[in-house]
């Protein structure tokens, strides 16, 4: 069902008069792996963000409703069901977030193929060039197409940013981990999972169960909000 929703999203994004049509064609035509990776991250991220939205919103509403019952029990109709007042993300926000998941790596179309798909070890200079796909190239493409939606720009710019204090190799370093939106953290974890479980010219695919175990070991207990993401 998630992949069906993603296919519908991709179909919508490719309509000629849609502002995203140029970007999606760039992904389609550039590289098979980039296209498949974009689809996979979008599918995984969509499943996680919807689950997170339900569980976290439920947690907050339980807290709010319990507090309300304690404070106003003498004044309210006890037979009336307490309504949920909080929703972490609204439907239209989820749609923008999922579009950001699909476009998170759009900046890679500006990185030379021989660097992205280099079979051997990359040099520090080559890694610096790859890093530019997020905070420079990706943002440049969004700006060029006048796509300044914060859900898109945050996801493209910060999907490799440090997720917790002491998180190594994260970039850029312009935001503290607690300033990174939860949907961007979900994108990064989805990105990591798909990259590790996919076969590339320079590596074999890792076992999915081992990858999930490794992600939990690496990120669990490092950040409170990450606990909800990892269990979504």
């Amino acid at each position: 069902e998630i992949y069906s929703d993603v296919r519908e999203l991709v179909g919508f994004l490719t309509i000629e008069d849609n502002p995203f049509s140029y970007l999606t064609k760039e992904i389609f035509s550039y590289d098979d792996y980039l296209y498949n990776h974009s689809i996979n991250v979008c599918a995984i991220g969509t499943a996680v963000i919807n689950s997170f939205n339900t569980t976290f919103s439920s947690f907050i509403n339980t807290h709010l409703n319990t507090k309300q019952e304690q404070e106003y029990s003498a004044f309210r109709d006890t037979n009336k069901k307490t309504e949920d007042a909080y929703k972490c993300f609204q439907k239209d926000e989820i749609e923008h977030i999922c579009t950001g998941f699909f476009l998170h790596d759009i900046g890679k179309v500006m990185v030379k193929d021989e660097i992205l798909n280099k079979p051997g070890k990359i040099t520090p200079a080559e890694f610096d060039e790859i890093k530019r796909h997020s905070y420079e190239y990706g943002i440049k493409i969004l700006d060029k197409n006048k796509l300044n939606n914060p859900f898109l720009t945050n996801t493209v710019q910060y999907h490799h940013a440090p997720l917790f204090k002491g998180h190594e190799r994260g970039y850029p370093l312009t935001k503290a981990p607690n300033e990174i939106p939860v949907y961007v953290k979900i994108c990064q974890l989805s990105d990591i999972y798909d990259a590790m479980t996919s076969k590339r010219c320079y590596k074999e695919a890792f076992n999915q169960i081992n990858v999930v175990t490794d992600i939990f070991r690496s990120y669990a207990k490092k950040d409170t909000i990450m606990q909800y993401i990892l269990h979504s």
Side-chain angles (χ1 to χ4, degrees), residues 48-50 52-54 56-57 86-95 97 101 151 181-184 186:
V48 175
I49 192 69
N50 279 311
F52 173 87
N53 200 35
T54 298
F56 190 73
S57 298
Y86 175 81
K87 192 73 171 178
C88 188
F89 296 111
Q90 301 300 322
K91 185 176 183 295
D92 60 335
E93 294 175 321
I94 292 287
E95 291 173 355
I97 288 168
F101 290 160
F151 292 107
V182 64
Y183 56 88
V184 177
I186 289 173

Side-chain angles (χ1 to χ4, degrees), residues 19 28 43 100 122 128-129 131 133 158 194 215:
F28 293 159
I122 62 173
D128 285 341
E129 175 63 13
K131 288 193 292 186
H133 84 274
Y158 296 112
D194 187 66
I215 288 175

Side-chain angles (χ1 to χ4, degrees), residues 91-211:
K91 185 176 183 295
D92 60 335
E93 294 175 321
I94 292 287
E95 291 173 355
H96 290 306
I97 288 168
C98 295
T99 302
F101 290 160
F102 180 73
L103 297 175
H104 75 285
D105 266 347
I106 186 65
K108 284 187 175 178
V109 302
M110 296 180 68
V111 179
K112 292 181 179 178
D113 182 64
E114 54 264 34
I115 295 178
L116 278 180
N117 295 312
K118 183 178 179 179
K121 186 176 180 180
I122 62 173
T123 67
E126 288 169 336
F127 183 53
D128 285 341
E129 175 63 13
I130 291 173
K131 288 193 292 186
R132 296 172 70 186
H133 84 274
S134 60
Y135 61 84
E136 183 178 340
Y137 297 151
I139 295 301
K140 184 180 293 185
I141 291 173
L142 293 181
D143 285 344
K144 181 179 178 181
N145 289 273
K146 297 179 174 57
L147 298 172
N148 298 315
N149 182 310
F151 292 107
L152 304 183
T153 56
N154 282 334
T155 301
V156 169
Q157 186 167 9
Y158 296 112
H159 69 275
H160 286 292
L163 294 177
F164 54 86
K165 188 175 181 180
H167 187 192
E168 297 179 353
R169 289 172 66 88
Y171 60 89
L173 302 176
T174 52
K175 279 187 182 291
N178 63 355
E179 296 177 308
I180 303 299
V182 64
Y183 56 88
V184 177
K185 294 184 177 186
I186 289 173
C187 183
Q188 182 170 164
L189 293 174
S190 302
D191 186 9
I192 292 169
Y193 174 83
D194 187 66
M196 293 180 71
T197 57
S198 298
K199 183 177 180 179
R200 299 298 307 277
C201 61
Y202 50 80
K203 76 167 189 70
E204 294 296 322
F206 295 115
N207 178 273
Q208 294 177 343
I209 295 176
N210 291 341
V211 170

